[in-house]
């Protein structure tokens, strides 16, 4: 479909853009206030998005799923006011859904066109829900070898028909969930919020007319296209650049390097200037780390990866102003390898831990851009991980406490990385008060993981350190990466500290738990310590000013031992820097360098999986 080509009034463009952002925020606020599960209400692991009738994403506050699979199965002309569509099928989502716990709700927006209501836009929400069935609580079995082990698959269906819920479909979904009440409540919250958002958006069309509003949609997206072309892509020198990074395990095979490679070609004279080629990406994994990226010409991945490009903005302030909407799509061409790779899996390959791939791709794109721009990109960021405890409470009721703990982001060419950030926008760890009030658990410590940030002129951000004591027998679960491979440092910066889980730290039964674990048994009274990843460092750590290292020590981000080992800063018994000893130590540390260090530092874990090599051919400029 083609929108009417009417010149957009610049004032109305601003009104429409502001209204879209407000509606998107209202939908998310309504879901957050009326949902029931901790992952949605408290951890805020959900997103809303607004799309036009050409299926283009209009809002840029956060990423969202796609409308393409709904329209593929339910033609727009057959939709009715009050309809709500639902899906979570990974392979039938056109790449918009990554794993089965992500449930997606889509509501068409109607306006009067030639005397009858017609679809003019869509409001959509999708989020990570507590449980949709499958082999383990939480629907993320770490050793799954098939989608059929991961839970209930629902292709696009009509969940509400003209305002009437499909009770049969709801019964099937809730029957397959270990937490049917919270699932039903979350779905009700999402449907109601999207219906409300659709009414609000319909009012915008009623007020200004369909043709005028759609002209504003075109203007909003065209402006994004030109901004990214002129301000962002112009910072990438023409040429071809290659880099790769890895997931470390898939839950089935022994740890190995699961390769994700990007060959980036920039041609500023071409109509589509940026080509991202994934040829060379490793084969489809047996375990659940695959991601279906090659659908709809990579439409979802284009918008997923585009936020990395914003780091090329002239200033950090300008970077924060840039949205990622459908306007970036015409600027990027994606080329995928043949079927049967990590990014082109064949059904029913499992996908529940696909974050190991799609989040790593953010880092691969940042790495290849760092090569292209001489390091004007952040070092590696934290990767998402799910940790949690499940069991039965004092009343004999089953519970699942699961959260998405963040980690440190990478140092940048102008500043340190941020501590304990979350890749999912606005998401957060569960509040201690909520956790202790709802579950038989006690949070005994929550703070920054000391020395976790990668050393650098600009230090990587620190990860979490969290101590959880179980008050009843329970099981611990973890879906995490970066426990062997660390977040890499760039341009002389060093890698951050990897992810780590320790049961009974300092006690007689102290032992490490694998980062992919479904059911680690815990007896009542046991403490579990979770340390999340630190971001990579940027630039030579021996160039970090002494006063900044002392400040890191005072803020409990760097230890006295770490200051000496990583930064060459000697601290006396009074807590002051011994400047003479520091100068001598730094001089000796510089003298020990061979001069052929790579542009990227992957940390010691890479050698463990690479057969002893500290870096690969692509790590050298």
């Amino acid at each position: 479909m083609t929108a009417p080509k009417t010149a957009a009034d610049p004032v109305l463009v601003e009104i429409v853009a502001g209204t879209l952002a407000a509606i998107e925020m209202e939908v998310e606020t309504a879901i957050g206030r009326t949902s029931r599960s901790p992952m949605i209400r408290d951890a805020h692991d959900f997103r809303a998005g607004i799309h036009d009738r050409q299926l283009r994403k209009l809002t840029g506050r956060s990423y969202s799923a796609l409308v393409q699979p709904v329209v593929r199965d339910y033609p727009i002309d057959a939709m009715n006011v009050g309809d709500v569509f639902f899906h979570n099928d990974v392979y039938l989502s056109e790449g918009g859904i990554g794993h089965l716990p992500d449930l997606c709700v889509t509501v068409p927006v109607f306006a009067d066109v030639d005397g009858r209501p017609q679809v003019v836009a869509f409001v959509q929400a999708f989020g990570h829900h507590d449980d949709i069935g499958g082999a383990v609580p939480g629907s993320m079995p770490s050793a799954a070898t098939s989608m059929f082990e991961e839970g209930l698959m629902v292709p696009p269906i009509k969940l509400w028909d003209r305002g009437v819920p499909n009770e049969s479909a709801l019964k099937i979904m809730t029957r397959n969930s270990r937490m049917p009440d919270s699932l039903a409540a979350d779905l009700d919250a999402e449907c109601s919020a999207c219906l409300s958002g659709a009414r609000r958006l319909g009012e915008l069309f009623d007020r200004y007319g369909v043709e005028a509003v759609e002209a504003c949609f075109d203007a909003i997206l065209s402006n994004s296209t030109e901004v990214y072309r002129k301000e962002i892509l112009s910072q990438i020198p023409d040429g071809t650049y290659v880099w790769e990074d890895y997931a470390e395990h898939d839950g089935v095979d022994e740890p190995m390097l699961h390769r994700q490679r990007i060959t980036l070609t920039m041609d500023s004279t071409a109509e589509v200037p940026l080509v991202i080629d994934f040829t060379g990406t490793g084969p489809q994994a047996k375990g659940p780390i695959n991601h279906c990226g090659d659908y709809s010409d990579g439409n979802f991945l284009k918008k997923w990866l585009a936020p990395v490009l914003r780091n090329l903005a002239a200033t950090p302030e300008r970077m924060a102003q840039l949205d990622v909407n459908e306007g970036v799509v015409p600027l990027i061409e994606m080329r995928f390898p043949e079927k049967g790779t990590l990014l082109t899996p064949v059904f029913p390959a499992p996908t529940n831990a696909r974050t190991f791939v799609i989040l790593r791709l953010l880092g691969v794109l940042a790495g290849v851009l760092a090569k292209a721009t001489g390091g004007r990109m952040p070092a590696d960021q934290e990767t998402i991980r799910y940790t949690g405890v499940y069991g039965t409470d004092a009343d004999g009721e089953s519970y699942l406490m699961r959260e998405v703990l963040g980690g440190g982001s990478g140092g940048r060419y102008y500043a340190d990385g941020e501590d304990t950030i979350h890749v999912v926008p606005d998401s957060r760890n569960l509040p201690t008060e909520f956790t202790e009030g709802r579950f038989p658990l006690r949070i005994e410590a929550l703070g920054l993981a000391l020395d976790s940030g990668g050393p650098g002129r600009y230090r990587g951000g620190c990860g979490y350190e969290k101590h959880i004591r179980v008050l009843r027998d329970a099981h611990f679960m973890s879906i995490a990466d970066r426990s062997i491979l660390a977040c890499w440092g760039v341009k002389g910066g060093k890698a951050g500290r990897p992810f780590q889980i320790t049961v009974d730290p300092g006690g007689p039964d102290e032992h490490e738990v694998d980062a992919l674990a479904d059911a680690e048994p815990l007896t009542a009274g046991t403490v579990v310590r979770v340390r999340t990843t630190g971001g990579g460092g940027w630039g030579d750590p021996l160039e970090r000013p002494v006063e900044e290292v002392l400040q890191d020590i005072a803020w409990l981000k760097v230890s006295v031992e770490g200051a000496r080992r990583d930064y060459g800063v000697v601290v006396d018994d009074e807590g002051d820097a011994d400047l003479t000893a520091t100068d001598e130590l730094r001089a000796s540390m510089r003298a020990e360098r061979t001069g052929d260090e790579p542009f990227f530092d992957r940390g010691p874990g890479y050698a463990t999986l690479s057969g002893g090599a500290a870096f690969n051919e692509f790590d050298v400029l």
Side-chain angles (χ1 to χ4, degrees):
M1 303 178 67
T2 302
K5 298 301 180 183
T6 301
D9 178 272
V11 175
L12 184 57
V13 170
E14 294 300 313
I15 292 172
V16 170
T19 302
L20 292 174
I23 292 173
E24 182 181 67
M25 188 173 293
E26 285 180 21
V27 171
E28 291 192 358
T29 300
I31 293 171
R33 289 182 175 178
T34 58
S35 57
R36 180 167 177 178
S37 69
M39 283 294 287
I40 301 294
R41 185 189 64 208
D42 301 285
H44 207 269
D45 192 357
F46 67 93
R47 299 266 63 79
I50 299 175
H51 307 252
D52 69 2
R53 59 173 164 170
Q54 299 181 68
L55 316 186
R56 302 177 300 181
K57 183 175 183 290
L58 301 171
T59 46
R61 181 170 161 268
S62 65
Y63 63 90
S64 66
L66 303 177
V67 181
Q68 280 85 338
V70 175
V71 172
R72 178 197 66 216
D73 293 355
Y74 292 88
I76 287 179
D77 290 343
M79 294 179 179
N80 303 293
V81 176
D83 285 353
V84 179
F85 299 92
F86 172 89
H87 70 285
N88 78 326
D89 190 307
V90 173
Y91 286 87
L92 295 180
S93 73
E94 303 292 337
I97 297 296
H99 58 182
L100 296 180
D102 282 348
L103 310 185
C104 184
V105 168
T106 306
V107 173
V109 179
F110 286 83
D112 185 270
V113 179
D114 298 329
R116 67 184 185 89
Q118 291 188 19
V119 175
V120 290
F122 297 89
V123 177
Q124 189 176 73
F126 86 107
H128 188 136
H129 293 249
D130 274 345
D131 190 277
I132 193 69
V136 301
S139 308
M140 296 182 69
S142 63
T145 58
S146 164
M147 289 288 298
F148 297 107
E149 300 170 59
E150 298 182 318
L152 181 68
M153 292 179 279
V154 183
I157 63 170
K158 189 179 288 189
L159 190 61
W160 289 33
D161 187 357
R162 296 178 175 87
V164 179
N166 184 335
E167 297 294 342
S168 297
L170 289 168
K171 284 181 180 180
I172 292 171
M173 286 190 280
T174 54
R175 179 60 175 169
N176 278 272
S177 174
R178 295 171 178 85
M179 288 145 191
D181 292 341
S182 64
L183 177 62
D186 289 348
L187 282 173
D188 188 54
E190 289 158 353
C191 292
S192 299
C194 287
L195 286 166
S196 176
R199 288 192 294 271
R200 287 271 286 110
L201 188 53
E203 293 169 2
L204 184 70
F205 285 94
D206 292 341
R207 183 177 304 138
Y208 297 108
V210 172
E211 190 169 331
V213 172
E214 289 191 331
C216 292
F217 291 170
D218 284 344
I220 290 168
L221 300 184
S222 295
N223 178 66
S224 288
T225 302
E226 288 310 301
V227 165
Y228 274 86
R229 185 188 298 272
K230 294 178 179 179
E231 294 188 31
I232 303 302
L233 298 188
S234 63
Q235 303 304 309
I236 306 173
D238 284 359
T240 297
Y241 313 91
V242 186
W243 200 65
E244 65 184 37
D245 204 3
Y246 316 91
E248 63 193 26
H249 55 172
D250 71 345
V252 177
D253 285 329
E254 290 298 312
M256 59 184 287
L257 297 176
H258 294 273
R259 184 176 62 253
Q260 293 139 74
R261 180 182 296 173
I262 286 179
T263 299
L264 184 147
T265 300
M266 179 67 196
D267 181 357
S268 58
T269 65
E271 182 178 354
V272 182
L274 191 65
V275 176
I276 297 176
D277 190 338
F278 299 104
T279 300
T281 292
Q284 173 179 309
K286 294 178 184 176
I289 66 172
N290 306 289
H291 176 70
C292 301
D294 58 328
Y295 292 84
S296 292
D297 297 320
N299 185 287
F300 176 83
L301 273 184
K302 290 178 184 180
K303 289 175 284 190
W304 170 261
L305 294 175
V308 174
L309 296 170
R310 296 185 300 179
N311 288 283
L312 298 174
T315 65
E317 292 76 19
R318 180 56 175 157
M319 172 186 171
Q321 295 171 351
L322 298 180
D323 284 342
V324 174
N325 54 34
E326 205 77 19
V328 304
V329 170
L331 299 173
I332 304 171
E333 177 187 347
M334 290 198 162
R335 298 175 182 171
F336 294 93
E338 295 296 322
K339 283 289 187 180
T341 72
L342 289 170
L343 280 175
T344 59
V346 178
F347 179 81
T351 68
N352 75 75
R354 95 293 186 206
T355 50
F356 296 5
V357 168
I358 62 169
L359 285 169
R360 189 70 65 252
L361 286 178
L362 295 171
V364 181
L365 180 58
V368 76
L369 287 171
K371 290 182 69 173
T373 61
R376 197 171 164 225
M377 292 295 289
D380 198 23
Q381 69 214 351
E382 66 99 5
T383 54
I384 200 170
R385 80 277 306 154
Y386 304 88
T387 60
V389 180
Y390 64 90
T392 56
D393 59 23
D395 297 325
E397 297 292 327
S398 297
Y399 73 88
L400 169 64
M401 187 289 290
R402 181 173 58 183
E403 59 186 334
V404 185
L405 280 178
S409 68
R412 299 156 284 182
Y413 67 90
Y414 56 88
D416 294 342
E418 298 290 343
D419 303 317
T420 61
I421 64 135
H422 292 247
V423 168
V424 177
D426 298 329
S427 66
R428 56 192 72 100
N429 64 301
L430 295 181
T432 295
E433 296 81 1
F434 167 79
T435 300
E436 295 185 343
R438 182 160 178 174
F439 307 113
L441 307 169
R442 187 161 64 230
I443 308 304
E444 301 209 334
L446 177 61
L448 300 180
L450 188 66
D451 289 328
S452 58
R457 165 59 189 89
Y458 295 106
R459 176 184 44 74
C462 293
Y464 280 103
E465 178 165 326
K466 188 166 189 174
H467 296 213
I468 306 169
R469 186 181 297 276
V470 298
L471 304 182
R472 298 174 57 84
D473 291 353
H475 289 88
F476 183 82
M477 56 84 67
S478 171
I479 302 291
D481 198 26
R482 288 301 203 212
S483 62
I484 302 173
L485 301 173
C487 292
W488 42 265
V490 68
K491 204 172 183 179
K494 302 301 179 182
R497 189 78 62 83
F499 179 78
Q500 183 185 44
I501 304 168
T502 307
V503 172
D504 193 28
D509 190 35
E510 178 176 338
H511 62 277
E512 303 297 317
V513 176
D514 191 83
L516 275 172
D518 289 335
E520 175 69 19
L522 302 173
T523 58
T526 301
V527 171
V528 178
R529 182 183 67 202
V530 180
R531 287 176 175 164
T532 66
T533 52
W538 193 99
D540 186 351
L542 300 185
E543 297 297 326
R544 187 169 179 84
V546 171
E547 59 270 19
E548 293 185 20
V549 177
L550 293 178
Q551 187 177 71
D552 287 338
I553 295 173
W555 287 350
L556 301 181
K557 297 184 178 184
V558 173
S559 67
V560 171
E561 178 186 354
R564 182 185 186 98
R565 177 189 64 240
D566 299 328
Y567 295 95
V569 174
V570 180
V571 179
D572 60 27
D573 294 338
E574 303 299 321
D576 298 318
D578 185 330
L579 297 181
T580 300
T582 294
D583 290 341
E584 292 175 353
L585 178 57
R586 284 186 162 183
S588 67
M589 292 172 72
R590 288 189 179 98
E592 292 174 358
R593 293 174 174 172
T594 62
D596 59 353
E597 287 80 10
F599 195 63
F600 300 89
D601 178 69
R602 296 183 180 272
Y606 178 76
T608 302
L609 300 183
S610 68
F615 56 93
N616 65 38
E617 59 181 308
F618 302 116
D619 292 342
V620 180
L621 291 183

